[in-house]
Amino acid sequence: MMRRMLPLVLVTGLLAALFAASADAKDKLPDLRRQLLEAQGDARIGGALDKLSATIGKPGFFEDAGAFGDWLGTLPDGRAEHPLVQLRRGWAYVAVKRGEEAIPFLQVGVKDNPGDGLRRAYLGEALRQAKRHVEAAEMLAAAVRCGHHGKHVHESILKTVFDARRAKISGHADALPDYATAAGVYLAVRPEPDIHFVVAQLLLEDFDTYEKPDRTRGKLWARTAGEHALAAFRLAPTPPAGGATLAFDAARALEFLDRVERGRTDRFALLVKAHELGQDPSGGPPRYPQALVFLAEGAAAEGRFELAHRLATQRLEISNSPRARRLLQRLPPDLGTSDDE
C-alpha cells in the first residue's frame, strides 16, 4: 500500500509546487513591469528587460519569446517606444522566427546605435527569415564590419545562401543567382572557406543543370565557381572533404572559356589542385588521372613543351589515354631545354 501511495504523494507535491510557482510568478510580473516602467537610463532599462527576458518559458510568465515581444508592445507611457524596448521586442520575434514582424523594431535599435554589430546581426537574421536574402547578407556583412562575427552570424549567412537558392530557380537569373550575389556581399567583408566551398558547389550544380559553356551567363557562372573554389582551398586550414571533385568539376566547367581566353582563367590552377587532392595516400592511381592530360594540353598551349611531355607521360603510366598519345605526337620531336626544368 505504501508503495502505491508514494508516487501519488510525489505527483501531488510536484503539482503543488508548480501551482505555487505559478501563483508566485503572477505576483512578481507586476513588480517586474513596474521596475521597467520606472527605470531611468539605458543601464537600468536594460537590466529590467534582462530580468523579464529571464522569465520566458517559466510558469505564470511568458509562454515563449513571441508572447514576451507582444507583451512589450502593450507597455504604457511611451515605454514601448523606447529603443531598447523595441530592440528587445525585435530580438524576441527573431527567436520565434517571426522575422517580418521583428524588422521595424530592430531597425529602430540599429538607428539608435549604428555601430553595434550585434544589433545588425539580429536585423540580418530577421531579414533572412523574411526572405529578403541579399539585404540580409548586406546587414550581416555590416555586423562584421562593426566587429561582430559570432557563430550565429556564420550560421545566418549559410542559411541565407541555402534559403535564397530554394526561393528562386537559378535558371531564371539574369546573371548570378541571388544566393551567389548574397554570399559575395558577405565574403567581400569576411572570407570564410566553407561558404566559398558551398557557393562553388551550388554554382557548378546549377551550371550543369541550366547552362551551356558558350553562353554569357554560363561563362560567368563557371568563372565565379572557380574563384570560389580556389578561395576555399586557399583559406581552409586543411584540405576540405570533396575538394578534389570540386576542383575537377570547376576546371571542367571552365574548359570552353579557358580555350576562348587562351589560358587566362583559373582552370590550370584548379586542375593542379584536383590532381594534388586526388592523390591516393596508399600509392594507388589518382582519383582524376585525366587532370594530367588536361594540364599537359594547357602547358603545350603556352609553349611549355617539356612540362607537357612530362605530364602526358605520367598520364600514360597510369593507363592508356588516346588523348595523351595524340598530344605527345603533336609535341616537337626535339624538346630541347625549357624554363620549366
Side-chain angles (χ1 to χ4, degrees):
M1 182 67 176
M2 287 296 294
R3 290 183 179 178
R4 293 181 180 178
M5 291 181 61
L6 186 58
L8 181 60
V9 170
L10 290 175
V11 171
T12 303
L14 183 61
L15 289 174
L18 184 62
F19 286 128
S22 178
D24 187 47
K26 289 178 181 177
D27 290 339
K28 288 183 177 179
L29 183 55
D31 183 53
L32 293 176
R33 179 177 181 272
R34 177 184 55 78
Q35 291 179 34
L36 177 57
L37 292 175
E38 294 178 354
Q40 298 297 318
D42 287 354
R44 291 186 179 276
I45 292 173
L49 287 167
D50 288 342
K51 289 181 181 179
L52 283 160
S53 297
T55 69
I56 294 173
K58 293 183 177 180
F61 284 91
F62 308 105
E63 180 181 358
D64 58 20
F68 174 53
D70 293 338
W71 181 85
L72 289 174
T74 68
L75 294 173
D77 304 329
R79 185 48 44 110
E81 285 71 45
H82 191 282
L84 289 182
V85 174
Q86 296 207 33
L87 177 65
R88 193 65 60 102
R89 190 177 180 187
W91 162 83
Y93 289 154
V94 165
V96 292
K97 296 180 171 51
R98 290 164 57 180
E100 189 72 55
E101 295 174 74
I103 290 172
F105 302 111
L106 292 173
Q107 286 174 330
V108 170
V110 168
K111 184 177 180 180
D112 179 58
N113 188 350
D116 189 330
L118 179 59
R119 300 185 184 200
R120 291 186 177 275
Y122 285 149
L123 180 53
E125 173 61 14
L127 289 164
R128 180 195 73 80
Q129 293 177 9
K131 305 185 187 307
R132 293 160 61 175
H133 303 114
V134 175
E135 293 177 75
E138 291 170 347
M139 190 55 60
L140 292 169
V144 172
R145 281 196 296 269
C146 291
H148 185 80
H149 41 77
K151 179 181 178 181
H152 61 286
V153 174
H154 180 80
E155 291 175 350
S156 284
I157 190 62
L158 272 177
K159 289 178 181 177
T160 299
V161 170
F162 287 115
D163 288 352
R165 188 173 187 240
R166 283 191 293 265
K168 188 179 295 185
I169 297 174
S170 300
H172 295 168
D174 292 329
L176 287 176
D178 281 352
Y179 69 82
T181 300
V185 169
Y186 179 85
L187 291 168
V189 178
R190 184 174 173 81
E192 297 185 14
D194 56 337
I195 299 174
H196 278 295
F197 195 94
V198 164
V199 176
Q201 282 185 317
L202 297 180
L203 277 173
L204 289 171
E205 288 176 12
D206 288 337
F207 179 88
D208 286 340
T209 303
Y210 301 111
E211 266 308 336
K212 294 182 179 179
D214 58 343
R215 294 179 56 186
T216 299
R217 192 182 67 172
K219 295 174 186 176
L220 174 63
W221 287 10
R223 186 189 296 277
T224 306
E227 291 169 351
H228 280 292
L230 286 178
F233 298 139
R234 183 178 68 253
L235 295 168
T238 58
T245 298
L246 180 72
F248 187 78
D249 288 347
R252 178 179 52 80
L254 277 169
E255 183 172 5
F256 177 84
L257 182 61
D258 191 74
R259 189 163 58 248
V260 170
E261 298 197 357
R262 298 183 178 181
R264 292 189 296 273
T265 73
D266 290 325
R267 184 169 185 263
F268 195 91
L270 287 162
L271 288 170
V272 170
K273 186 59 68 173
H275 181 63
E276 172 193 327
L277 296 178
Q279 294 298 309
D280 185 347
S282 62
R287 183 176 302 175
Y288 295 105
Q290 56 268 56
L292 285 168
V293 71
F294 296 157
L295 286 167
E297 290 172 343
E302 296 177 6
R304 303 162 70 184
F305 299 127
E306 292 206 13
L307 176 60
H309 184 277
R310 186 164 65 248
L311 291 168
T313 302
Q314 288 179 23
R315 172 65 185 90
L316 288 170
E317 289 172 352
I318 298 169
S319 64
N320 185 42
S321 169
R323 189 165 177 168
R325 292 190 180 280
R326 288 196 297 271
L327 175 62
L328 287 174
Q329 292 171 359
R330 295 198 304 270
L331 293 177
D334 182 7
L335 296 178
T337 59
S338 169
D339 293 337
D340 297 315
E341 295 297 307

